[in-house]
Amino acid sequence: MILAEKGGKTEKGNFSAITYGHETVTKSRKIVFITDLLRAFRRLDPTWALVVGMSGLAVWLIGSLPGEEVSSRPEYQLDEQSLVLPAAPPWLCRELRDDFTIALSQAGLADLIDEELAQRAAILLERHPWVKAVTFARPRYPAAIEVHLTYRWPVCFWKVASGICVLDEEGYVLPSTDLCGEALDRLFEIIAPDSVAASIGGGRARDGRLIESARLASLLGADVVEAGFRLIRAEVTIHPIDPEEITLFLVASDGRQIFWGHPPGRETPGEAAADRKKEVLLRWLEEAGQMPNQGGIVLDLTEL
C-alpha cells in the first residue's frame, strides 16, 4: 500500500485542503505565499517589512490569496532537481531520475502545487521495471516531491540470441543494458534448455525453471559465485512444467556439480530445508579448494 504523509501523520489517500468559510486554500499554496513574502522581506527596510508582513498575515487568515495562479510559474513545475530520490544502487550504470521525470511529465503530473501529486506519482513510479515498491511519497514544500522506493536487485541471468536477460529474486526481468559491466560478474548464470522467452523488461519470466532458479540465486548470494559454482542448471521431469518437479544443480566451470534438489520451499518429505542445505554448502566450499577435481557430482545436498 502506498502512503501519503500530511502534517506529520501518515494517512492513506489524498491531501485534504484547509477550508475557511466559503474559501478553500490548500496548505501548499499558503506555504508558497509565505515563501514569497519572506523573499520580499529581504528587499525591504524593517518598517515596510512589518507592514507587508501584517498585510500578508491578514490575507492568509481570511483565506484569500493573490489572483496569480502560482502553479503555472516555472519554479513550481516538475524538473530533475525537484524530484528527491534515494541514491541509485551501485549495480546501475545510469541515473533513473530522467526516466521518472519524463514518465511523470508525460502523464500530466508536472504541477508541484497539486495536492494529489505525491500519491499519483507513487502509483506511476511503481510501474518502472527497476522499482520493486514505493514506500511513501510526500511533497517537500515549497516546490519538490520526495519519494522513498526500493529498487529491484539482480541475482541471475540467462543467455538468449539477442544477448542476456537479467532476473531479480522474484523472477522479474530487468533491463540488462542498465547494469554496470562488473555487476554481471557477481550474478549466477541459469542453464534451462528450451526456456520460454520472457518480456524485455518489467514483466515476470514465463518459465518456472527461471523463477525457481532466481529464488535459489537470491538465497545463495555472491559467495557461491565467487567460489566457482556460478551456473544453476534447472531440470524438469514432466511437461508442462510443474514447480514441484523442478530440480536444481550448481555447476562449476571445471565440470563439478552440486545437486541441490528441489527449489527452496518445495522440498519433498525427508529432504533438508533450504537453510540447512546452504549451511552445509558454505562449509563444504571452505574446504573444497583443497580437494582434487573429481568431476561429476561432488556433493548431494538431498542426502543430509
Side-chain angles (χ1 to χ4, degrees):
M1 179 181 292
I2 301 168
L3 301 180
E5 294 195 355
K6 180 186 73 172
K9 297 181 180 179
T10 302
E11 299 183 358
K12 292 185 289 185
N14 303 333
F15 300 102
S16 61
I18 303 172
T19 303
Y20 294 91
H22 298 293
E23 298 290 335
T24 299
V25 183
T26 60
K27 180 173 68 173
S28 58
R29 294 180 188 277
K30 288 189 174 183
I31 293 178
V32 167
F33 184 47
I34 293 172
T35 302
D36 288 345
L37 283 178
L38 292 175
R39 290 171 179 167
F41 286 170
R42 299 174 184 174
R43 301 190 294 270
L44 298 174
D45 60 48
T47 301
W48 279 106
L50 178 61
V51 172
V52 173
M54 294 300 293
S55 301
L57 178 61
V59 171
W60 186 74
L61 287 175
I62 65 175
S64 60
L65 289 175
E68 179 186 3
E69 183 60 42
V70 293
S71 64
S72 64
R73 289 157 52 175
E75 60 265 40
Y76 299 116
Q77 293 295 300
L78 180 72
D79 58 23
E80 291 81 358
Q81 286 70 41
S82 58
L83 188 59
V84 182
L85 298 168
W91 57 80
L92 284 176
C93 60
R94 71 180 185 89
E95 177 62 60
L96 300 182
R97 185 183 305 273
D98 291 343
D99 288 5
F100 298 150
T101 304
I102 292 172
L104 293 174
S105 298
Q106 290 178 341
L109 303 179
D111 178 6
L112 292 168
I113 309 301
D114 183 357
E115 295 294 325
E116 298 182 356
L117 176 62
Q119 184 187 26
R120 294 170 66 192
I123 295 173
L124 183 61
L125 293 184
E126 278 195 328
R127 301 174 186 172
H128 193 281
W130 276 110
V131 176
K132 184 174 183 179
V134 175
T135 308
F136 70 83
R138 63 187 177 191
R140 178 181 284 188
Y141 298 108
I145 177 173
E146 180 181 1
V147 179
H148 283 212
L149 53 82
T150 303
Y151 291 97
R152 291 195 178 276
W153 191 294
V155 296
C156 59
F157 69 92
W158 85 102
K159 295 178 180 178
V160 295
S162 57
I164 63 171
C165 287
V166 178
L167 297 177
D168 78 340
E169 69 275 12
E170 296 177 340
Y172 282 87
V173 183
L174 306 173
S176 60
T177 54
D178 293 341
L179 283 180
C180 299
E182 59 271 19
L184 289 176
D185 297 334
R186 298 176 60 83
L187 303 183
F188 285 93
E189 179 180 349
I190 301 175
I191 303 174
D194 303 321
S195 62
V196 178
S199 57
I200 298 301
R204 204 176 191 197
R206 299 192 296 269
D207 189 323
R209 291 171 295 176
L210 302 179
I211 295 173
E212 299 299 340
S213 296
R215 293 178 60 234
L216 177 58
S218 177
L219 172 70
L220 295 181
D223 290 342
V224 177
V225 174
E226 294 172 355
F229 287 86
R230 183 182 184 181
L231 303 177
I232 296 179
R233 190 175 80 245
E235 296 184 353
V236 65
T237 55
I238 62 173
H239 291 273
I241 295 173
D242 181 348
E244 305 297 335
E245 297 297 328
I246 295 173
T247 52
L248 303 173
F249 295 77
L250 300 174
V251 185
S253 57
D254 59 12
R256 289 179 297 166
Q257 299 182 53
I258 295 172
F259 182 46
W260 176 271
H262 291 84
R266 301 187 185 278
E267 294 83 7
T268 57
E271 185 176 354
D275 289 343
R276 172 60 177 159
K277 291 180 180 179
K278 179 180 178 180
E279 177 187 350
V280 172
L281 172 62
L282 294 178
R283 187 167 62 247
W284 182 86
L285 289 174
E286 291 179 358
E287 305 171 354
Q290 308 299 322
M291 297 180 180
N293 179 11
Q294 302 170 333
I297 295 179
V298 295
L299 179 64
D300 187 342
L301 292 173
T302 64
E303 297 179 352
L304 300 181

